[in-house]
Amino acid sequence: MPIRTNRGRTAVYRRLWGWPLRSPRHLVASVVGVVVVVTTISVVIPNAVAPRKTGNQAGTSSTAPTGTGGGNQIGVLPSVTSTPLPTKAPSPTPAAPSAPVNANAQLRADAWVDAFSRFEPGKTTKEQWLAGLEEHTSDEMFPRLASVDPANVPVVIDQPVRPVKSSTDSAEFEAQLEEGKLIVTVAKLPEGWVVTEWTKVG
């Protein structure tokens, strides 16, 4: 018959709680039972809750690449291909080999220096001075001469224009001034040998 009164339930509960305390044997049996129940719960519940791996998942994990080149994998940084730095500077362009002074280069240097120094204030105009230089000067350098005041041109001493150095396609000449030297560079261009640079030294 089921217990229907609170007094009856209390008596039953009192017997259950008091049973382990009746003897040492009952106490040991109660402790062992509690340990078994707790151990069973701790093993069964995690296995029941943990998700099971499917066959597809297992196959994917077994065939996943382990290299470092996979940029789309989670937790793997994409590989970066770096260009190696040059270990030494590139070799300089070799200078043109030396060669005897070309006769046309020497004639062009003589003519240019003569026209450059042939300006007489009050007798020669700037236009005449430029006209005498134009045929001996490259197109790139001639505009520079147009900005020069011929009255300030240094006086060239009447001495031969001597070569300083020369190669197969250019030559450098030197003319003596009252103060310093005039250095003239002559180069071989499609139109022939012409003066491409001049500068006063000293």
Side-chain angles (χ1 to χ4, degrees):
M1 294 294 292
I3 301 173
R4 298 182 180 277
T5 63
N6 293 333
R7 184 176 298 176
R9 290 192 183 94
T10 302
V12 172
Y13 294 154
R14 187 179 300 156
R15 287 183 181 181
L16 292 175
W17 291 114
W19 184 83
L21 302 177
R22 288 182 180 180
S23 67
R25 183 181 298 176
H26 288 184
L27 180 59
V28 171
S30 300
V31 171
V32 171
V34 171
V35 171
V36 171
V37 172
V38 172
T39 303
T40 302
I41 293 174
S42 63
V43 173
V44 173
I45 291 180
N47 291 335
V49 174
R52 296 181 180 178
K53 291 185 179 180
T54 61
N56 293 334
Q57 292 176 343
T60 302
S61 61
S62 63
T63 59
T66 59
T68 59
N72 295 328
Q73 299 181 22
I74 298 176
V76 179
L77 295 176
S79 61
V80 178
T81 303
S82 59
T83 303
L85 296 176
T87 56
K88 70 175 184 177
S91 302
T93 304
S98 299
V101 179
N102 186 282
N104 292 327
Q106 180 71 60
L107 291 174
R108 186 66 72 182
D110 292 339
W112 191 90
V113 171
D114 181 66
F116 183 77
S117 60
R118 189 180 297 175
F119 178 79
E120 298 181 22
K123 295 182 180 181
T124 309
T125 64
K126 182 176 181 178
E127 288 72 18
Q128 292 172 332
W129 180 71
L130 290 173
L133 289 168
E134 186 173 8
E135 63 175 314
H136 308 298
T137 308
S138 66
D139 295 338
E140 290 76 14
M141 197 188 79
F142 187 73
R144 288 177 51 194
L145 292 173
S147 63
V148 175
D149 183 359
N152 297 327
V153 170
V155 177
V156 178
I157 298 177
D158 188 12
Q159 289 184 1
V161 178
R162 68 180 189 89
V164 177
K165 60 182 179 180
S166 67
S167 63
T168 55
D169 56 0
S170 67
E172 193 173 282
F173 298 87
E174 178 183 281
Q176 192 67 37
L177 303 175
E178 288 184 342
E179 295 181 3
K181 299 176 182 179
L182 181 67
I183 304 299
V184 178
T185 302
V186 182
K188 186 178 182 181
L189 301 182
E191 61 268 25
W193 290 90
V194 291
V195 176
T196 58
E197 188 64 44
W198 69 274
T199 184
K200 180 179 179 296
V201 179

